[in-house]
Amino acid sequence: MELQEIESIISKISLEDYRSILRYAKKFEKLNIQTEYGIRIAVIGSGSIQYFVQVLRMMLYREGVHADIYEGNYNGIEMDILNKKSNLYLFEPQLIIILSDYRDIKNLPDFFEPQESVEKYLEYYLEYYFNLWNTIKKRLPACDILQTNFVIPIERALGNLEANYNFSSQYIYKKMNIIFSEKHPPYVTIIDLEYLSSLIGKINWFDNSLYILSKVPFALQYIGYIVDLFIKLITAWLGKIKKCLVLDLDNTLWGGIVSEEGSLKVNIDPNDAEGEAYWLFQKYLKTLKKRGVLLAVCSKNDLNIAKGPFIENKNMILRLNDFAAFYANWDNKADNINKIAKELNVGLDSLVFFDDNPAEREIIKMVVPEVKVIDVPKDPADYVRALELSKSFEWFQLTKEDCHRAETYEKNKERMELERISIDYSEYLQALQMHATILEVSHDIVKRFTQLINKSNQFNLRSRRYLEPYIENILSEKEYKLLAVKLSDKFSDYGIVSCVILKKIDKKCMIDTWVMSCRVLKRSLEFLTFKYIYEYACQWGCESIYGEYIPTLKNNIVKDLYNELGFEFEDDSEMRTTNDSQVYCYQIGKVPQNKIYIQED
Amino acid sequence: MEDIKEKVQEIFREVFDDETIILQESMTSEDISGWDSLTHFQMIMEIELEFNIKFTTKEIANLATVGELIAMIENHLMNNKEE
């Protein structure tokens, strides 16, 4: 096969196509590539590393890197590193990849060894690895090391107890990985194979038969993914990183089309199923921005309309100042992307493009092939994962400039202090700084109101289910009062969390419906809500308030609610609507007493 | 039987990167230059996928000749049919 033909095929192989990967890695190895070597990499490991090296060579070439690769011997880590005259040092690598394996940890504690004794094993192995790394550093001062952490095996002699005792093998492997993360010197980058193996699933990762036969420590099906992790880091080491994420707006950062629905109606509501997906996506993007990834907007919209939601919609997590560039116009996106690259002074090959519209993505792929285009899934709930799994922003180090570390640290400290197990629950409630607003239901919240009534099962007194048309009807009827309560606290705005339908029958105020979202239970909101119910009943000129508890399999938590509020149980009441329900009565004139930790707006 | 031999030959040609390979029962890895310890496992994987069978560790370890390989495949196919 000709070089060009192979090159063309290699450029298109997907990571999951391990058969083609292995096949073409072999073919590639036989080719006589004339270009100069761009990097010298040594690969040493405890298991069999031949497949890894073959595939690494090919996939680096795919990224435009012609690598001269030194392949260590089987089980050759100590051999190559500790022998000062080894071929490893003669080769003078710029990068050394050390593929370690959990089986290298040969000394494990006995069962019931005491803590101090277990610590010694960890010290021993930390010293062992430091010795390896230091020896390399002394001989090759300019060399960087990529050291894998330990893929923790499935086997646990103690079963689940391994997580409960620190003499277990699982504890040792996990602790070693943590020690690697904590104590690695700056010239050693830990490669998180443990994470990759979890992602792929340990059930899939380990191929016992293959290990026994060939000493390859992972199933060959995943060679593409494993090598890809190293490719990302090596290209990052060479300075080829992605720096900027270019985002569309409509149906990418929010649900809906801003020019049709307006700034306030585009869906970024964390209390709405569709909205929450976009909200979570924005949250993720915000953390990317904080670690130094540049965000840019590229949208087909009028500029002012596009900016609207960032300014006016209070659910938006991203704001205008989170973007390094903002292009909203009617030009084609390829031109805009070129302008973004120019404005930010970065190469086109450092841009990543995320747009829900497949047509736009196709154009960019064709016209600006240097830009990485994310294959955006149809469901916004999967946006974060798609971006995460694209591994677009694997860097060799963090740039401190854009990291708002101080800010995040402060907020987290606050939240953690608040969540510490409070002996005094009321102090905790107080510290939440909750605010609530009561609304009489109007047309624009009928949807949410009805939704909450129909899906609440736990805090639901009578489990009456209604459809929107019915609710719309009774909105205007004098003997009905429909109330919605909104809640927010120091950390979050929960939106509408409680719904009440009151019905006036002569001088009696019937609580026809009372539901509350299970997200805000036990915060004294029920007491505040009852206070409002009492006020409305007074306004109506009622003499008593009636509440009925209809037991279901799920609403046990409100069994004693009316008792708690100071109602009196009415035995054999004529107001009963089912055989097993309980009716309670509250006399107007008795002011509601329960302590409320929420401020009314 | 011929069918199996033909498919195996096709796989050998692909995996060992040699379109001229003509299989004989007595052949071992010594007779085919592209057949090394690495490509051996690739070949096994391709065979397992092609015939929808799974060899045991012992079977793979003891495998020496093409003839044995074909016999193993036949064996597994028969067992599959019985299940």
Side-chain angles (χ1 to χ4, degrees), chain A residues 199-377:
Chain A
L199 196 61
I200 282 172
K202 288 175 186 290
I203 296 274
N204 302 312
W205 177 279
F206 292 105
D207 183 341
N208 300 315
S209 177
L210 184 69
Y211 177 75
I212 289 172
L213 288 165
S214 70
K215 297 298 177 274
V216 172
F218 52 80
L220 285 173
Q221 281 85 333
Y222 306 106
I223 186 120
Y225 299 102
I226 295 165
V227 173
D228 183 59
L229 177 53
F230 287 88
I231 299 294
K232 293 278 187 313
L233 283 149
I234 295 170
T235 50
W237 185 86
L238 286 167
K240 298 174 179 229
I241 56 171
K242 305 287 181 205
K243 299 182 186 159
C244 173
L245 179 59
V246 179
L247 298 151
D248 175 46
L249 292 179
D250 295 318
N251 291 317
T252 295
L253 288 191
W254 55 63
I257 300 186
V258 62
S259 57
E260 287 173 17
E261 316 200 25
S263 299
L264 300 176
K265 286 281 177 66
V266 289
N267 201 349
I268 185 75
D269 183 353
N271 298 301
D272 172 276
E274 193 202 4
E276 188 171 5
Y278 290 105
W279 189 82
L280 290 170
F281 185 51
Q282 284 202 17
K283 237 180 147 184
Y284 179 70
L285 295 175
K286 185 91 179 192
T287 57
L288 287 181
K289 182 246 172 175
K290 284 187 182 169
R291 64 157 264 202
V293 174
L294 300 172
L295 300 183
V297 163
C298 181
S299 167
K300 287 218 172 110
N301 255 306
D302 286 330
L303 183 60
N304 286 323
I305 292 183
K307 285 187 174 177
F310 295 99
I311 302 170
E312 294 159 21
N313 192 318
K314 62 175 167 50
N315 284 323
M316 293 284 286
I317 295 191
L318 294 171
R319 297 291 168 189
L320 287 177
N321 61 9
D322 288 317
F323 294 99
F326 198 107
Y327 281 75
N329 51 45
W330 298 98
D331 298 335
N332 76 67
K333 292 203 178 189
D335 284 343
N336 278 323
I337 282 186
N338 272 296
K339 290 189 185 144
I340 290 173
K342 214 163 170 197
E343 184 180 316
L344 298 179
N345 199 19
V346 297
L348 282 171
D349 60 357
S350 68
L351 298 181
V352 180
F353 183 59
F354 195 107
D355 190 317
D356 72 291
N357 187 336
E360 296 284 8
R361 300 200 298 266
E362 266 319 295
I363 295 175
I364 299 303
K365 277 189 211 169
M366 281 193 321
V367 177
V368 208
E370 303 92 320
V371 172
K372 177 170 180 176
V373 178
I374 304 290
D375 193 8
V376 177

Side-chain angles (χ1 to χ4, degrees), chain A residues 407-595:
Chain A
E407 208 186 294
T408 332
Y409 181 65
E410 278 310 306
K411 269 262 147 67
N412 274 340
K413 229 170 76 163
E414 263 185 76
R415 188 191 291 255
M416 266 165 38
E417 275 174 25
L418 211 45
E419 284 173 0
R420 241 181 330 162
I421 298 172
S422 287
I423 302 166
D424 195 335
Y425 189 63
S426 56
E427 255 180 46
Y428 170 72
L429 288 182
Q430 202 88 275
L432 279 178
Q433 290 169 30
M434 294 183 277
H435 286 252
T437 319
I438 182 137
L439 304 165
E440 291 188 35
V441 177
S442 55
H443 288 287
D444 54 316
I445 60 173
V446 165
K447 192 174 177 155
R448 167 69 182 156
F449 185 82
T450 314
Q451 198 188 59
L452 195 54
I453 288 177
N454 288 327
K455 75 171 190 184
S456 296
N457 292 312
Q458 293 174 279
F459 194 111
N460 190 334
L461 276 304
R462 299 180 73 231
S463 302
R464 298 295 301 265
R465 310 294 185 184
Y466 297 117
L467 296 175
E468 278 180 40
Y470 174 77
I471 300 292
E472 292 276 1
N473 266 336
I474 58 175
L475 270 190
S476 46
E477 309 230 352
K478 287 227 179 78
E479 67 264 29
Y480 284 98
K481 202 88 196 161
L482 282 71
L483 306 169
V485 186
K486 295 176 79 165
L487 183 73
S488 68
D489 66 23
K490 196 172 172 161
F491 299 114
S492 223
D493 184 344
Y494 303 96
I496 292 175
V497 288
S498 187
C499 302
V500 173
I501 299 179
L502 302 174
K503 184 171 183 184
K504 183 172 192 282
I505 304 174
D506 296 328
K507 299 265 182 189
K508 298 190 174 91
C509 173
M510 262 293 294
I511 302 178
D512 172 279
T513 294
W514 187 359
V515 308
M516 190 161 80
S517 163
C518 52
R519 279 169 149 193
V520 294
L521 295 173
K522 297 270 170 268
R523 288 185 179 217
S524 74
L525 185 60
E526 58 269 42
F527 304 136
L528 180 62
T529 308
F530 179 63
K531 184 163 161 283
Y532 290 136
I533 293 174
Y534 184 83
E535 278 166 23
Y536 278 100
C538 288
Q539 276 174 34
W540 259 344
C542 292
E543 285 172 357
S544 56
I545 303 174
Y546 274 84
E548 183 183 26
Y549 166 65
I550 303 179
T552 68
L553 289 172
K554 299 186 181 175
N555 70 354
N556 202 48
I557 54 163
V558 285
K559 186 167 59 113
D560 294 315
L561 176 68
Y562 287 125
N563 271 327
E564 230 184 318
L565 290 170
F567 280 63
E568 299 272 323
F569 173 61
E570 216 172 71
D571 205 1
D572 212 9
S573 171
E574 59 179 20
M575 303 289 281
R576 252 188 9 206
T577 60
T578 79
N579 280 334
D580 53 353
S581 69
Q582 289 144 41
V583 174
Y584 297 81
C585 179
Y586 191 95
Q587 295 302 324
I588 298 290
K590 180 175 154 188
V591 178
Q593 293 291 322
N594 310 87
K595 180 113 175 79

Side-chain angles (χ1 to χ4, degrees), chain A residues 66-293:
Chain A
H66 188 200
D68 188 9
I69 305 185
Y70 169 88
E71 187 176 316
N73 293 314
Y74 168 70
N75 206 14
I77 293 180
E78 281 170 20
M79 220 188 293
D80 267 330
I81 295 181
L82 299 178
N83 173 10
K84 301 197 165 106
K85 298 205 174 112
S86 71
N87 291 331
L88 170 70
Y89 295 119
L90 290 173
F91 178 73
E92 283 185 15
Q94 296 160 283
L95 269 184
I96 296 180
I97 295 176
I98 304 179
L99 300 173
S100 291
D101 186 85
Y102 76 89
R103 299 170 181 91
D104 300 341
I105 313 277
K106 299 200 198 305
N107 299 329
L108 291 169
D110 282 326
F111 297 122
F112 303 111
E113 265 196 68
Q115 175 75 43
E116 320 79 61
S117 187
V118 171
E119 290 295 318
K120 297 226 182 308
Y121 290 86
L122 298 165
E123 277 164 31
Y124 171 84
Y125 281 110
L126 180 58
E127 211 183 294
Y128 172 83
Y129 284 96
F130 257 95
N131 186 31
L132 290 181
W133 300 332
N134 284 334
T135 309
I136 294 175
K137 189 66 176 165
K138 278 206 201 95
R139 305 276 312 164
L140 300 167
C143 183
D144 280 318
I145 299 171
L146 300 182
Q147 165 75 56
T148 64
N149 61 10
F150 301 100
V151 175
I152 301 174
I154 299 176
E155 302 82 58
R156 302 180 302 174
L158 291 168
N160 185 70
L161 284 174
E162 300 234 350
N164 292 274
Y165 291 103
N166 63 1
F167 46 75
S168 67
S169 58
Q170 292 271 318
Y171 173 83
I172 296 292
Y173 301 136
K174 284 182 190 169
K175 199 69 201 265
M176 279 307 298
N177 284 349
I178 290 182
I179 287 173
F180 270 16
S181 293
E182 283 175 345
K183 302 227 186 321
H184 68 98
Y187 58 91
V188 175
T189 298
I190 303 300
I191 305 297
D192 203 346
L193 274 195
E194 167 59 16
Y195 169 85
L196 186 58
S197 73
S198 296
L199 196 61
I200 282 172
K202 288 175 186 290
I203 296 274
N204 302 312
W205 177 279
F206 292 105
D207 183 341
N208 300 315
S209 177
L210 184 69
Y211 177 75
I212 289 172
L213 288 165
S214 70
K215 297 298 177 274
V216 172
F218 52 80
L220 285 173
Q221 281 85 333
Y222 306 106
I223 186 120
Y225 299 102
I226 295 165
V227 173
D228 183 59
L229 177 53
F230 287 88
I231 299 294
K232 293 278 187 313
L233 283 149
I234 295 170
T235 50
W237 185 86
L238 286 167
K240 298 174 179 229
I241 56 171
K242 305 287 181 205
K243 299 182 186 159
C244 173
L245 179 59
V246 179
L247 298 151
D248 175 46
L249 292 179
D250 295 318
N251 291 317
T252 295
L253 288 191
W254 55 63
I257 300 186
V258 62
S259 57
E260 287 173 17
E261 316 200 25
S263 299
L264 300 176
K265 286 281 177 66
V266 289
N267 201 349
I268 185 75
D269 183 353
N271 298 301
D272 172 276
E274 193 202 4
E276 188 171 5
Y278 290 105
W279 189 82
L280 290 170
F281 185 51
Q282 284 202 17
K283 237 180 147 184
Y284 179 70
L285 295 175
K286 185 91 179 192
T287 57
L288 287 181
K289 182 246 172 175
K290 284 187 182 169
R291 64 157 264 202
V293 174

Side-chain angles (χ1 to χ4, degrees), chain A residues 19 23 26-27 51 209, chain B residues 14 17 36 38 41 46 57:
Chain A
R19 294 160 74 190
R23 200 170 291 184
K26 181 84 185 172
K27 290 191 210 278
Y51 289 113
S209 177
Chain B
E14 246 311 305
D17 205 13
D36 59 39
L38 285 194
F41 292 106
E46 294 292 330
T57 308

